[in-house]
Amino acid sequence: MARIKIKEILKGELIDQTVTVKGWVRTFRNNSFIAVNDGSCIHNIQAVVNFETADPETLKRLTPGACIGITGKLIKSLGKGQTVEIVVSDIEIYGDAEADVSKPNSYPLQPKAHSLEYLREIAHLRFRTNVFGAVFRVRHTLAYAVHKFFNDKGFLYLHTPIITSSDAEGAGEMFRVTTLDPKAPPLTENNEVDFKQDFFGKATNLTVSGQLEGELGAMAFSDVYTFGPTFRAENSNTTRHLAEFWMIEPEMAFFDLKDNMALAEEMLKYVITYALENNKDDIEFLSQRLLDEEKNKPQADRSELSLLEKLNFCLGNEFAKITYTEAINILRESNHNKKKKFQYIIDGWGADLQSEHERYLVEKHFKKPVILTDYPKDIKSFYMRMNEDGKTVAAMDILFPGIGEIIGGSQREERLEKLEARMKDMHIPTEEMSWYLDTRRFGSCPHAGFGLGFERLVLFVTGMTNIRDVIAFPRTPNNCEF
Ligand code: 4AD
Ligand code: MG
């Protein structure tokens, strides 16, 4: 009999028909009620066995985690909490899962609440929980929505390389890629490692961003985007940083900073709306989970909005748009600053904003997403377009409630002399980057782009608080399990 996914069955259109479902046992209660989940949706299907006629050996094997196939008639459910259920006529067991925790290799996901920390240790099994089922279905939908958004606008999906020999952000936080013998690498006359003898004949690393290659694409296809893994060897052990994360980087010819901001806001709202429409049950489940968690917190620490309200609020409001200089003034004048409640006190112009400042602007001052523009040139990357004032660049960061920076982008410096001068100032090798400068030599044009940290978007939409819980197998300092 052809198997039907639980999501389909729960639509209730197959009443009185014989159906087969396949999935993993969540619970088996009163020797009668099996709850099975196949990952197609947050809901389980309930199947009722007649324990008087069923094979007792089979019933014993219906333990949490076991993989089974069930065939039976679909009827309207008499019980609460489900619309339909299956009256079991046949059970096939594909794989057992040891339930006795005193035995070695027993199934670690018993039907009770497990902490997210514990589930992180068994990340290879956590997909089988309600929370992670919901998170990863939402993640999938968001990825699909990103592709749909850009495809519908006529963007070309460009696959940029993962191994590169350049540092796109000029920040030097890269993972080296090499096949040289770490114990005895070949040396140059100056006793430095001789990367000429390495696999690629030069020093290479994992990419921190596909932007520079994206810019090359935009100079031919007008509108391109990348969506791929990026790597940062920064030693940041926070709830917002991964060493390996996914980034979406659109790059548009003939766009200035304003166009760039408008596209970013439109895209964020589009993908959030798409997830709300297509993963309603998952997001409702996650929202309810947070409400339940909030109940255990002291009143003062409770968040004002539920997850669903937060998402809808973000969709219903235009993002605030202010310059870095305006932001510094707001922060400097804030009571928070005067009462020295920031760890880093704001007293002058030019310093980079810490996440406490970003969150103050978004969560306390504007209470909605904020786009900050025109940062001091010294705290931004070499490729950003110099403004008339000679002090600031046409940069934009989008800050989200509970997240901080979700997008970083800019209009690019399209003027060859200015870009070269800037690169020299910042000790970025212009000869090695000659291919990049060619975009400015041959048919240069005003252009702009941005990078969206995909996991930060998933954090926002799922209401999860630790970035390790929205990527399947997180890579962070001292952690590369699975
Ligand atoms: O601000 P970033 O470093 O910008 C770039 O890489 C540009 N090349 C993008 C562009 O203009 N095409 O990174 C962009 C975004 C950040 O806003 C953040 O959301 C995310 O990538 N991000 C990280 N996410 C998780 N872990 C990390 N270590 C991240 N670093 C950046
Ligand atoms: Mg940034």
Side-chain angles (χ1 to χ4, degrees):
M1 169 147 253
R3 161 204 176 213
I4 305 174
K5 288 207 177 174
I6 292 170
K7 188 178 176 183
E8 282 305 307
I9 290 189
L10 292 181
K11 287 181 184 164
E13 290 158 6
L14 301 171
I15 295 286
D16 291 337
Q17 297 186 28
T18 300
V19 296
T20 296
V21 297
K22 297 182 181 181
W24 292 265
V25 175
R26 286 291 174 83
T27 56
F28 180 41
R29 288 180 299 117
N30 301 342
N31 228 8
S32 306
F33 304 106
I34 320 167
V36 182
N37 189 283
D38 66 3
S40 59
C41 63
I42 186 94
H43 307 290
N44 304 327
I45 183 117
Q46 173 159 291
V48 190
V49 275
N50 184 337
F51 63 87
E52 283 171 355
T53 55
D55 168 26
E57 281 311 303
T58 302
L59 294 188
K60 267 195 226 148
R61 293 168 68 189
L62 296 177
T63 55
C67 185
I68 63 173
I70 288 177
T71 300
K73 191 168 150 190
L74 191 70
I75 59 161
K76 278 217 170 74
S77 179
L78 305 173
K80 271 200 203 136
Q82 67 260 337
T83 49
V84 294
E85 61 189 31
I86 298 173
V87 183
V88 177
S89 50
D90 186 51
I91 300 178
E92 188 173 351
I93 295 185
Y94 295 113
D96 293 284
E98 178 56 61
D100 184 347
V101 288
S102 68
K103 293 205 173 136
N105 290 323
S106 63
Y107 186 58
L109 283 174
Q110 292 308 315
K112 59 165 195 178
H114 295 289
S115 73
L116 296 175
E117 289 75 19
Y118 172 68
L119 292 173
R120 226 169 276 146
E121 287 168 22
I122 51 165
H124 57 304
L125 296 171
R126 66 181 176 169
F127 297 135
R128 295 194 200 177
T129 63
N130 282 336
V131 175
F132 287 95
V135 165
F136 284 95
R137 276 186 299 272
V138 172
R139 183 181 164 115
H140 161 81
T141 301
L142 287 169
Y144 178 75
V146 165
H147 286 298
K148 183 162 165 48
F149 175 80
F150 286 117
N151 182 64
D152 289 355
K153 283 195 177 295
F155 278 59
L156 181 136
Y157 178 24
L158 188 67
H159 299 89
T160 50
I162 289 176
I163 300 174
T164 70
S165 59
S166 58
D167 178 2
E169 287 303 300
E173 291 165 332
M174 298 174 298
F175 289 100
R176 170 85 59 218
V177 174
T178 179
T179 54
L180 294 178
D181 179 355
K183 284 198 289 285
L187 298 177
T188 63
E189 282 169 9
N190 303 333
N191 251 3
E192 282 164 0
V193 177
D194 185 7
F195 286 106
K196 282 208 179 73
Q197 296 187 47
D198 203 348
F199 187 90
F200 295 104
K202 53 158 80 170
T204 50
N205 44 267
L206 295 178
T207 190
V208 294
S209 155
Q211 177 197 322
L212 303 190
E213 292 88 352
E215 284 186 58
L216 299 169
M219 293 298 114
F221 299 108
S222 297
D223 299 317
V224 301
Y225 71 104
T226 72
F227 189 165
T230 44
F231 306 87
R232 306 249 167 129
E234 50 187 336
N235 198 0
S236 303
N237 244 312
T238 79
T239 54
R240 307 274 176 270
H241 289 87
L242 289 164
E244 175 181 292
F245 64 100
W246 288 66
M247 186 151 53
I248 295 130
E249 296 185 273
E251 193 70 34
M252 294 75 61
F254 319 115
F255 263 49
D256 64 13
L257 191 64
K258 277 212 172 64
D259 303 323
N260 206 24
M261 286 195 273
L263 182 77
E265 182 167 347
E266 186 189 345
M267 179 200 62
L268 287 168
K269 288 179 170 170
Y270 177 90
V271 299
I272 294 168
T273 305
Y274 197 90
L276 276 170
E277 282 169 2
N278 290 279
N279 288 81
K280 196 164 167 287
D281 291 355
D282 289 319
I283 295 177
E284 268 168 14
F285 170 84
L286 292 166
S287 190
Q288 188 56 47
R289 174 187 163 268
L290 287 176
L291 287 177
D292 294 343
E293 240 178 36
E294 292 279 301
K295 284 187 199 138
N296 300 325
K297 287 188 192 164
Q299 192 80 33
D301 294 350
R302 291 187 197 166
S303 77
E304 291 163 27
L305 299 179
S306 76
L307 173 62
L308 273 171
E309 286 167 335
K310 215 172 68 179
L311 297 176
N312 282 312
F313 184 76
C314 161
L315 296 176
N317 284 283
E318 209 176 297
F319 297 179
K321 297 172 186 81
I322 56 164
T323 64
Y324 166 90
T325 306
E326 287 165 333
I328 286 290
N329 289 338
I330 291 171
L331 290 167
R332 195 171 25 209
E333 295 308 315
S334 68
N335 280 333
H336 223 73
N337 199 52
K338 288 179 184 157
K339 290 187 184 153
K340 301 204 174 356
K341 282 196 193 154
F342 287 129
Q343 197 186 338
Y344 295 89
I345 300 302
I346 300 277
D347 54 5
W349 189 92
D352 207 353
L353 298 180
Q354 303 296 321
S355 79
E356 56 174 348
H357 306 129
E358 297 177 340
R359 295 187 65 167
Y360 178 87
L361 289 169
V362 173
E363 288 157 33
K364 297 271 184 316
H365 189 84
F366 288 102
K367 297 194 195 295
K368 60 179 178 178
V370 176
I371 312 187
L372 279 186
T373 61
D374 304 292
Y375 282 73
K377 67 177 192 323
D378 294 336
I379 56 172
K380 288 293 180 188
S381 302
F382 69 93
Y383 50 71
M384 297 192 179
R385 191 176 201 274
M386 188 71 73
N387 286 329
E388 295 290 305
D389 60 14
K391 276 173 22 187
T392 59
V393 288
M396 63 171 213
D397 275 8
I398 303 190
L399 314 178
F400 258 39
I403 307 289
E405 180 189 334
I406 195 165
I407 279 182
S410 71
Q411 187 170 339
R412 317 305 188 192
E413 183 56 82
E414 83 281 14
R415 298 161 294 188
L416 180 62
E417 299 77 49
K418 287 207 193 288
L419 181 59
E420 268 180 332
R422 186 91 185 102
M423 289 171 77
K424 289 213 173 91
D425 271 359
M426 294 175 79
H427 308 292
I428 293 166
T430 44
E431 307 80 59
E432 277 172 40
M433 303 272 285
S434 180
W435 55 271
Y436 177 66
L437 289 165
D438 269 358
T439 52
R440 276 66 170 171
R441 286 191 190 103
F442 310 126
S444 186
C445 76
H447 62 289
F450 60 84
L452 164 66
F454 187 53
E455 283 74 21
R456 294 195 186 173
L457 171 69
V458 184
L459 270 182
F460 182 70
V461 179
T462 58
M464 301 299 283
T465 49
N466 192 319
I467 201 161
R468 294 164 180 79
D469 294 334
V470 297
I471 187 164
F473 302 108
R475 272 77 180 98
T476 51
N478 291 317
N479 171 36
C480 191
E481 207 53 49
F482 314 109

